[in-house]
Amino acid sequence: AYGSFSMDIIYVISQPIGWFMWGNDESVHQFSNKMRQLIFFGAFIAWLMGWFILSQVNGQLPYFDSINFVLSFIAQILYILKYRENWSLWIIVNLANLIYWSVLTIQILNGDTAIGTLGANLSQVALQAALLFNSIYATKV
């Protein structure tokens, strides 16, 4: 899970910045429809590039891992800059991560892989479900 590991490093640095930005200013920004489409198109292209790169280094499930890295990075930047669209990207990321960890859990149960542990994967499934709920809730508030 190269993408997940890379994003964990970025989160340690960026989360306090995001908390500060959201806690000290009530204004939230929103993109125009045209800009929103460009961002989502650019995110799609970046996801494809990440998928290719991660598949070249033999990453586990590189299509999901690319979502985790590429879209999380874009969503985190939008979060820090207080753009409402960050939550839409987080929904995609959290859904992809929920599927990713569920697949890895099933692989362990079936004996298809010895990477990771059942407990660790199940805890990630629970975490991703909670994060998905949070990102859906945030779009409603």
Side-chain angles (χ1 to χ4, degrees):
Y2 296 117
S4 180
F5 175 74
S6 301
M7 278 311 300
D8 288 343
I9 294 169
I10 293 170
Y11 290 144
V12 167
I13 298 165
S14 64
Q15 280 293 57
I17 297 168
W19 292 329
F20 176 79
M21 296 295 287
W22 281 83
N24 290 320
D25 183 10
E26 295 297 319
S27 65
V28 177
H29 312 290
Q30 189 169 348
F31 291 114
S32 67
N33 285 337
K34 175 94 169 142
M35 184 56 104
R36 191 177 304 122
Q37 290 172 352
L38 287 172
I39 287 171
F40 281 94
F41 179 73
F44 179 75
I45 298 300
W47 167 68
L48 290 175
M49 291 172 26
W51 180 0
F52 175 77
I53 292 167
L54 289 169
S55 67
Q56 297 302 305
V57 296
N58 298 319
Q60 274 185 310
L61 305 172
Y63 37 93
F64 286 120
D65 202 22
S66 178
I67 289 173
N68 186 35
F69 179 69
V70 173
L71 293 188
S72 294
F73 185 76
I74 296 168
Q76 190 67 17
I77 290 170
L78 296 179
Y79 171 74
I80 290 171
L81 298 175
K82 298 183 66 173
Y83 278 93
R84 178 163 293 193
E85 289 79 5
N86 85 83
W87 298 115
S88 299
L89 288 175
W90 283 122
I91 289 171
I92 296 167
V93 168
N94 295 328
L95 187 58
N97 280 327
L98 183 62
I99 295 167
Y100 175 84
W101 288 105
S102 296
V103 168
L104 292 179
T105 300
I106 291 167
Q107 287 178 347
I108 284 187
L109 288 172
N110 290 337
D112 296 334
T113 185
I115 298 172
T117 65
L118 180 60
N121 287 357
L122 287 173
S123 68
Q124 282 295 321
V125 169
L127 173 64
Q128 297 310 319
L131 291 172
L132 177 60
F133 174 80
N134 182 60
S135 56
I136 292 170
Y137 178 77
T139 63
K140 306 296 181 206
V141 176

